Amino acid sequence: MALEFEQGPIRPPSEARSLLIRVTRNCPWNRCEFCPVYKGAKFSRRTVEEIKADIDTVKEMVDLLKRTAWQSGFGGTIDRRLVEAVLQDESHSESFRSVALWLYYGGESAFLQDANSLVMKTLNLVEVVSYLKETFPGLKRITSYARSSTLARKSVEELRQLKDAGLNRIHVGLESGSDAVLSFVKKGVTAAQQIEGGRRVVDAGIELSEYVMPGLGGRRLSRDHALETARVLNAIDPDFIRIRSLALPAGTGLREKWERGDFERPTDEEMVRELRLFIEHLDGINTYLASDHILNLLEELEGRLPEDKPYLLEVIDRYLDLPEDERLLFQLGRRLGLFRTLSDREEPGLRARAIQLREKVVAQFGGDLEQAIRTLAERYI
Ligand code: SF4
């Protein structure tokens, strides 16, 4: 029988090269109106024994892959040829393939799934993280998602125990610091809890990555969303702020609100203006801001605060100062996967291709370029 262990459906984009270890299943809250990920799936806890058995299976896989690498004459190294052979061999499980890729990328980081691993009892989670670290001493980074409301219930001392065991980064879906927005999208957390949870992580010495969702307040709450989110993040001072722009996947409450006319969805351009207001008000923090999600229009929006703030605002202004047809061309090229940065628009080959495709797309969508751009963006949801 193929070696196999349990893995959940998602991880943050920055954990694409991490080993995925599932410590709980699905989301204990599962009510956020913008989130499709665990809808219809029931939350459950896994026992420490089950999780340790999975870690043992990973170890077996690692040993097998290393043996194969020796026997095949690769000198024990998991190189591209070996990984390609594993990926093409359908007798291997999905989890076995993911372990081969993890080793290929260096085997240095692990991510604990699913949506809120910190909901586990601290002592149990400490035991899991310690076991993972003992089994794979080469791990340099162990990370997890957590909800702010859960973090706000852990003491700094408990979080320190987790840090000492090896948990060195926590990703939080903050989304917004506006109580009006948080309540409108049923995030189940207040701005005060976001600050409390975040501060405890920072005080415990664990790296903190906070996700912000431009557009989540719609047109009505856009200003409050930008200003309050900046205020909350200024109070937390996280290590990372990561941007993940609003999308409205089918089956979510927010999409239904939009379809009923109860939510005014902002355009790409409105989201960029909102982002400008947000960044402008980030103050007194030492944080790396990244725009590392495919749904974001401006991927090059990346830098350290406070010193790169002028650069970040300049990138946004460069986009906003473009004539309207150029902004639309950039949006289209971005959504077609042709452009990554604003200067890609000036590269003759890419530009010609974008213009050519614009004619086709406009014809296909009956002349409505904005609708076409939105539909193309939704392919990434
Ligand atoms: S807490 Fe996270 S995973 Fe759970 S419903 Fe909200 S956004 Fe989705």
Side-chain angles (χ1 to χ4, degrees), residues 161-179:
Q161 287 169 18
L162 285 163
K163 179 186 187 260
D164 293 344
L167 183 71
N168 33 26
R169 184 179 296 172
I170 291 181
H171 299 272
V172 174
L174 177 116
E175 330 300 358
S176 179
S178 153
D179 277 324

Side-chain angles (χ1 to χ4, degrees), residues 136-176:
F136 301 109
L139 277 177
K140 292 192 179 137
R141 203 179 73 193
I142 301 178
T143 71
S144 172
Y145 273 136
R147 300 190 71 227
S148 296
S149 51
T150 304
L151 293 168
R153 285 196 299 271
K154 298 264 183 208
S155 66
V156 173
E157 182 44 39
E158 283 178 287
L159 292 167
R160 271 201 200 111
Q161 287 169 18
L162 285 163
K163 179 186 187 260
D164 293 344
L167 183 71
N168 33 26
R169 184 179 296 172
I170 291 181
H171 299 272
V172 174
L174 177 116
E175 330 300 358
S176 179

Side-chain angles (χ1 to χ4, degrees), residues 10 26-39 115-116 147 173 175 186-187:
I10 63 158
N26 310 313
C27 173
W29 173 249
N30 214 4
R31 284 179 235 174
C32 299
E33 295 241 272
F34 55 88
C35 171
V37 183
Y38 300 104
K39 294 289 175 282
N116 187 19
R147 300 190 71 227
E175 330 300 358
K186 302 199 172 87
K187 183 73 193 170

Side-chain angles (χ1 to χ4, degrees), residues 272-300:
V272 171
R273 287 188 193 282
E274 182 185 285
L275 198 51
R276 194 190 192 291
L277 185 66
F278 163 66
I279 293 176
E280 206 186 321
H281 283 81
L282 288 173
D283 212 5
I285 54 175
N286 186 355
T287 300
Y288 195 82
L289 184 137
S291 175
D292 57 355
H293 197 284
I294 188 77
L295 283 168
N296 299 337
L297 187 64
L298 300 174
E299 185 182 324
E300 67 208 281

